[in-house]
Amino acid sequence: MGTADGTARAPADEGTDPLGDPYLRTRFALPSRPATFLRRQRLVVHLDQALRTPLTLVNGSAGAGKTLLTADWAAGLRLPVAWLTVEAEDHRPGVFWAYVFESLRVCGARVDGAAGAPADASGVGRGLLASLATELNARDCPVVLVLDEYDRMTAAEVAEQLEFVLRHAGQGLRLVLVTRTEPLLPLHRYRAADELTEIRGAELSFTPEEADALLRLHGLRLSAHAASALVDRTRGWAAGLRLSALAAREATDPEQYLKEFEAGHSTVADFLIAEVLKGRTEEMQDLLLRVSVLDRFCPDLADALTLRTDAERLLAGLHRENAFIERLGHSWYRLHPLFRETLRAHLRERMPGAEAELHLRAARWLRRSGFLPETLAHGVAGGDFDLAAGALVDDLAIGQLFTGLHSDALTQLFAGMGPETRSPASDLVRAARALDRSDLDHGLGRLRRAQEQLSGTEDSPRLAAARLSCTLLETLAARLTGCPPRAEQAAATAEELRRDLPDHLLDEHPELTALLLTHVGSARLWEGRFDDARAVLTRVAGAPGGSATVLPRVESMGHLALLDYLNGWLGRAERRALAAVSEAERAGLRRPPGAGLGRLVLAAVAVDRQELGRARVLLAETARFPAREHDPVLTAGRALAVSRLLLDDGETHAAAEAAEPAVSAAVASPWAESHTAVVRSAACLVDGRPDEAVRLLHGVSAGQPPCAVEAAAIQAAAGRPRAAAELLGAVRAEGRTGPAVSVGAALVQARAAQESGDTVTARRLVARALLDARRERLRRPFRQAGDWIKPLLATAPLHELAAGWLLSGRPGAHGEPVRPGPEPALLVPVELSGRERDVLRRLARMMSTEEIAADLYVSVNTVKTHLKSAYRKLAVNRRGDAVRRASDLGLL
């Protein structure tokens, strides 16, 4: 029976609830933990803070492990714990409070004879709640009241009453709410007063280490990579991990199962459908199914897919309810990966054929809103390649097909483009892909077709973007076909078209201008216009743009290194080439096209320094790099390095063959032809055919000073000193050539003086050559000079200049020449550890620090420590110097 105000019953009636039904005792019991339950100490420690704050919130999605975590923590408390699992029927205040009163009695927190319990299911008197608060406030130690599944409580009246009791219970009550949604309590007040403990979804997620421990409890031992991948896919969701582990135990290969299982057709899907999707309104279900085709979405984008206008309200509600929707900020959301997979499988069953149309609706909205990568992905997923290609070209982003950062993904994205796509943009994409593969016939055909379609179109910003994209492909085609005039014309057209485009669009795509200038610079270099080439290549190498322009920067630095080498500056060439290689490594471009040119230059420098072993290693390394097969500069650069190495190895026939670059160019390259002629001539001279050697030198241009000097040396060796002198006289260095030219010229002049009997002049010229060569460690001209130089180098003054880098030992007795040898030993004998040798061997193969660490199974810091030690022992401070010194000392 009720009291006078009808809100309380006597203790004798406490066996039943206000509806007259027996209390469901299971609602007061702490949930049992399964044998595979994993106690996560970091969360238990956090929950211990609940004993110091009036209110604690454990808020997470279904299956996040909230209930078992809280139950495990509560079971270890020495305080009385009243546990109540809330049910939907508890929205009536009288029923809810009756169960709260009973849970407090069951745990011993209420003494006999205390105020009764609500008698009316529909309400509870304020006096009864005040009595309960007073009773709790009088306790010596607090009672912990856990309300599990509190998200089922939707009555604002109950929330107000609960906050009243909590506020007036003082230190006698610690309230813990386990919920999927935000409770209707003034949480901001408790936060401001530092009286709220919160554990939310992100903290409830399993870490990789915790996931590994959980899997082991299920009898699964996975590799660290597989466990980490599973955590990424489940986002550390407890139920997802447990259900996946249970299913994997039945598989013959658990690791492979967890890698490939289809979430949409698994026990995980059953859980998500039952716990999250069912029970939602039709509008909510429809929204969730449609946005499952998206990686992320905002209300406007969701409305575009549903053709309604209620997405903002529905998404906010779903997020509040922890319905596996994560807020990304700025009104953007994304679905949990497993929930998304499940929804997409459900979408195909409930709305067959709708997926492609949803992708296209998304692509159109994303294109209007300026989200290019997602536009491309959804356009292709919807089967509209014309739409995707049009977006790429309109955004002026066609250069991204070449940048090395997104090119692989974009190439794969457009790989399925069929013949039915006929727009100019589609033809431009096809042309770009073909030219990147050096498929000139196909690429040029598609480019011409696109240009023909664009020629009859009215001017517009979109047309200007397409035409500017055409000029980029034109310059690349000109570069690959060795046609500098065509490249110059395309560059001039590009400059005019830029004026018709908004500045912001050009600023957003610095890679297009950088690529275009790189191609122009390469074409100019091929033509022998070194100064003009250097001007544009230097502009690209120093351009801002971050990762977007890293590949053209790397290519430009490689070309600049080749320019320095062709002008006789070995040290400059080496520094630029190393900078190009380092830039590619820092950007994470392990094998970018064009990075091989830097290694080719390093190999050519190594040949001139007579570090032939290092040159072989570098040339072998270039084989790993994809190169445009028809790129004349790259092809000629490789022919230069390989042929000179073969010549110095004594393989004259192979050197003569390698000197001919297998490239078909519209315009001949003076430096490429000159180097070919010099190598073939030198090979003939070594084989004893001086007349043939001299005949081949007619292809050497006096405008290529390094080649002209080498040709003069061959003329002198063939017994034609007058021809050698005439050739030297025709060389016009004009201050831009380096030591390789001055050293070679001095040696030719010294030979002439020596053979005419003017030994004093010969010694002076050789001394000058030694001084110039020593700074660059340029050994090749001296090793190739012939027997005439040996008596001169055997004399004390010249030997002193050559000692330590060109010659070793003292001058021989009776004027005998000294034997060329390695660099002299250091004052302190060098002893490298085995690991230091391992690191240096990999440095010689041009591996990055990260690659060395991975190859040796050590950390990057460990590799750096070994490098510092090796540098100290070898008395060097650069990678290249360390490798050279260790090689010369026979330590590698």
Side-chain angles (χ1 to χ4, degrees):
M1 294 180 60
T3 62
D5 62 1
T7 60
R9 295 172 296 148
D13 298 322
E14 289 177 353
T16 60
D17 65 22
L19 299 175
D21 298 324
Y23 284 112
L24 299 173
R25 297 297 164 182
T26 54
R27 294 178 60 186
F28 305 130
L30 269 67
S32 59
R33 277 79 69 204
T36 55
F37 172 76
L38 176 70
R39 171 173 289 180
R40 294 187 281 168
Q41 194 60 34
R42 64 181 177 88
L43 295 179
V44 172
V45 170
H46 193 171
L47 264 178
D48 283 339
Q49 295 180 20
L51 303 179
R52 298 192 293 273
T53 60
L55 179 61
T56 295
L57 193 65
V58 183
N59 190 344
S61 61
K66 310 179 297 295
T67 296
L68 292 181
L69 164 69
T70 309
D72 180 62
W73 168 75
L77 295 178
R78 297 182 179 180
L79 299 174
V81 176
W83 184 282
L84 174 61
T85 301
V86 177
E87 294 192 350
E89 290 76 9
D90 293 346
H91 68 279
R92 289 173 289 189
V95 175
F96 170 78
W97 283 106
Y99 267 92
V100 169
F101 275 66
E102 182 66 9
S103 68
L104 292 169
R105 190 190 68 80
V106 168
C107 76
R110 300 196 69 211
V111 298
D112 293 336
D120 183 0
S122 62
V124 59
R126 192 172 184 87
L128 188 58
L129 295 179
S131 297
L132 175 62
T134 301
E135 179 184 336
L136 292 171
N137 190 38
R139 290 184 55 84
D140 294 331
C141 65
V143 58
V144 178
L145 173 60
V146 180
L147 299 180
D148 188 27
E149 300 194 35
Y150 186 74
D151 47 277
R152 294 175 174 174
M153 174 54 65
T154 58
E157 182 182 0
V158 169
E160 183 180 342
Q161 294 167 346
L162 188 62
E163 203 275 328
F164 170 80
V165 172
L166 179 62
R167 186 169 69 252
H168 293 288
Q171 297 299 313
L173 178 63
R174 296 290 181 261
L175 178 62
V176 179
L177 303 181
V178 183
T179 178
R180 299 184 191 179
T181 63
E182 290 288 282
L184 298 175
L185 294 174
L187 298 181
H188 60 283
R189 295 180 188 169
Y190 290 91
R191 287 195 190 100
D194 197 21
E195 293 181 341
L196 175 64
T197 298
E198 293 182 87
I199 296 180
R200 292 184 175 269
E203 191 175 356
L204 290 168
S205 297
F206 275 66
T207 66
E209 294 76 18
E210 291 170 346
D212 181 65
L214 179 67
L215 293 170
R216 289 175 184 270
L217 287 174
H218 286 79
L220 297 175
R221 293 181 178 271
L222 304 183
S223 66
H225 176 74
S228 178
L230 182 61
V231 171
D232 287 342
R233 190 175 181 189
T234 60
R235 299 272 169 82
W237 178 42
L241 289 169
R242 289 193 177 93
L243 292 171
S244 299
L246 290 171
R249 285 198 308 191
E250 307 300 322
T252 54
D253 186 344
E255 188 161 318
Q256 191 67 20
Y257 170 84
L258 290 174
K259 180 181 178 181
E260 299 178 350
F261 81 97
E262 297 182 27
H265 300 87
S266 65
T267 53
V268 174
D270 296 337
F271 180 94
L272 289 169
I273 293 296
E275 292 292 328
V276 185
L277 192 60
K278 285 185 177 178
R280 305 285 174 193
T281 65
E282 288 187 10
E283 291 80 9
M284 280 188 174
Q285 291 191 30
D286 181 72
L287 173 70
L288 288 170
L289 290 172
R290 290 174 185 270
V291 298
S292 68
V293 303
L294 302 167
D295 290 325
R296 62 175 191 141
F297 46 89
C298 65
D300 287 346
L301 176 54
D303 284 337
L305 267 60
T306 63
L307 302 181
R308 301 196 308 266
T309 58
D310 56 0
E312 184 172 9
R313 174 179 58 83
L314 295 178
L315 290 173
L318 288 166
H319 178 259
R320 282 196 305 271
E321 296 170 13
N322 277 317
F324 288 82
I325 289 184
E326 178 183 355
R327 191 193 297 273
L328 301 177
H330 303 289
S331 298
W332 285 87
Y333 299 84
R334 69 179 174 189
L335 296 169
H336 187 284
L338 294 182
F339 190 35
R340 184 185 175 211
E341 291 180 53
T342 298
L343 288 169
R344 290 191 71 172
H346 213 54
L347 171 68
R348 295 182 187 115
E349 293 176 3
R350 285 178 52 171
M351 290 185 280
E355 196 167 354
E357 176 58 28
L358 291 172
H359 279 298
L360 291 180
R361 289 184 193 176
R364 296 183 194 108
W365 186 93
L366 291 162
R367 185 178 183 181
R368 292 193 303 270
S369 303
F371 296 99
L372 179 64
E374 290 158 300
T375 299
L376 300 179
H378 288 289
V380 169
D384 193 338
F385 285 93
D386 282 330
L387 184 154
L392 186 74
V393 172
D394 289 349
D395 199 66
L396 212 60
I398 199 167
Q400 292 182 1
L401 284 163
F402 304 102
T403 58
L405 299 172
H406 310 292
S407 52
D408 288 344
L410 285 174
T411 298
Q412 187 171 359
L413 194 67
F414 285 101
M417 187 161 52
E420 69 281 357
T421 53
R422 296 179 175 274
S423 67
S426 296
D427 280 327
L428 284 174
V429 170
R430 285 195 182 95
R433 293 178 59 218
L435 291 174
D436 194 44
R437 299 191 305 267
S438 295
D439 183 354
L440 294 178
D441 291 340
H442 187 212
L444 289 173
R446 289 293 181 179
L447 180 56
R448 295 291 165 262
R449 178 172 164 176
Q451 289 171 329
E452 290 170 2
Q453 294 182 73
L454 292 170
S455 62
T457 309
E458 293 183 4
D459 290 342
S460 67
R462 293 178 63 179
L463 180 62
R467 287 178 174 166
L468 187 56
S469 299
C470 285
T471 64
L472 171 64
L473 302 186
E474 280 283 359
T475 57
L476 175 55
R479 169 183 174 177
L480 297 180
T481 56
C483 187
R486 182 177 173 186
E488 298 292 351
Q489 182 179 358
T493 302
E495 193 61 33
E496 294 177 3
L497 290 170
R498 288 170 61 92
R499 293 194 285 267
D500 297 329
L501 288 165
D503 291 340
H504 74 86
L505 193 58
L506 293 166
D507 293 341
E508 289 169 5
H509 294 287
E511 74 278 356
L512 189 138
T513 300
L515 287 166
L516 190 148
L517 292 178
T518 301
H519 301 330
V520 171
S522 183
R524 290 177 178 176
L525 192 159
W526 174 252
E527 194 178 15
R529 295 165 54 197
F530 288 175
D531 291 340
D532 292 338
R534 187 181 299 278
V536 293
L537 292 169
T538 301
R539 178 179 165 189
V540 177
S547 60
T549 58
V550 65
L551 187 135
R553 289 203 309 270
V554 168
E555 284 205 277
S556 292
M557 285 189 286
H559 281 71
L560 288 169
L562 180 59
L563 275 172
D564 285 331
Y565 178 81
L566 294 176
N567 281 327
W569 297 97
L570 268 65
R572 291 183 189 176
E574 181 185 46
R575 288 190 292 275
R576 287 190 188 273
L578 287 173
V581 172
S582 299
E583 179 83 357
E585 289 178 352
R586 282 196 301 271
L589 300 177
R590 293 183 177 274
R591 303 199 309 155
L597 183 57
R599 285 173 167 79
L600 286 174
V601 173
L602 291 174
V605 170
V607 171
D608 280 1
R609 289 173 174 167
Q610 292 295 275
E611 299 167 352
L612 302 187
R614 174 172 167 76
R616 294 186 194 96
V617 170
L618 287 163
L619 287 173
E621 283 290 314
T622 62
R624 298 190 301 110
F625 287 80
R628 299 185 179 98
E629 295 176 5
H630 298 286
D631 190 324
V633 170
L634 280 170
T635 306
R638 183 170 184 82
L640 184 157
V642 171
S643 62
R644 290 164 73 86
L645 175 61
L646 289 171
L647 187 64
D648 288 7
D649 278 338
E651 300 183 37
T652 55
H653 180 70
E657 286 189 343
E660 290 279 6
V663 61
S664 176
V667 174
S669 173
W671 62 267
E673 289 190 341
S674 295
H675 276 281
T676 298
V678 166
V679 171
R680 294 183 65 202
S681 175
C684 287
L685 186 66
V686 173
D687 289 342
R689 293 179 285 140
D691 292 340
E692 178 69 10
V694 170
R695 186 185 66 80
L696 289 171
L697 291 178
H698 292 303
V700 177
S701 168
Q704 302 297 319
C707 294
V709 167
E710 288 193 55
I714 295 173
Q715 292 275 20
R720 297 170 179 266
R722 181 175 296 178
E726 289 177 355
L727 192 53
L728 283 183
V731 172
R732 293 291 181 265
E734 297 176 354
R736 63 182 175 85
T737 57
V741 175
S742 62
V743 169
L747 291 179
V748 172
Q749 293 166 342
R751 179 172 190 155
Q754 177 77 343
E755 291 177 348
S756 66
D758 187 355
T759 304
V760 174
T761 299
R763 287 179 180 174
R764 177 176 55 79
L765 289 168
V766 171
R768 190 175 73 189
L770 287 169
L771 287 170
D772 286 345
R774 184 168 60 181
R775 292 193 301 270
E776 302 277 328
R777 299 193 305 281
L778 177 59
R779 301 183 179 96
R780 190 171 190 267
F782 299 94
R783 302 273 172 90
Q784 302 291 323
D787 292 338
W788 69 269
I789 200 173
K790 292 180 181 179
L792 296 175
L793 292 177
T795 61
L798 295 182
H799 179 272
E800 184 177 350
L801 290 176
W805 67 276
L806 181 63
L807 304 176
S808 63
R810 294 184 175 182
H814 309 293
E816 295 177 0
V818 291
R819 175 179 58 83
E823 294 182 15
L826 300 174
L827 294 177
V828 179
V830 176
E831 294 184 2
L832 296 178
S833 69
R835 187 56 89 186
E836 289 166 354
R837 291 172 188 247
D838 289 339
V839 171
L840 287 177
R841 289 190 188 100
R842 286 159 176 79
L843 274 188
R845 285 152 46 193
M846 298 304 296
M847 294 175 68
S848 68
T849 305
E850 291 74 14
E851 289 173 328
I852 295 173
D855 201 41
L856 294 177
Y857 298 97
V858 298
S859 70
V860 171
N861 286 335
T862 299
V863 172
K864 291 180 178 178
T865 299
H866 290 311
L867 280 177
K868 289 179 181 178
S869 177
Y871 288 173
R872 185 180 67 255
K873 293 177 181 179
L874 294 168
V876 298
N877 54 19
R878 292 183 179 179
R879 292 182 171 209
D881 293 341
V883 172
R884 280 190 293 274
R885 182 64 60 85
S887 298
D888 291 341
L889 293 175
L891 298 175
L892 298 183

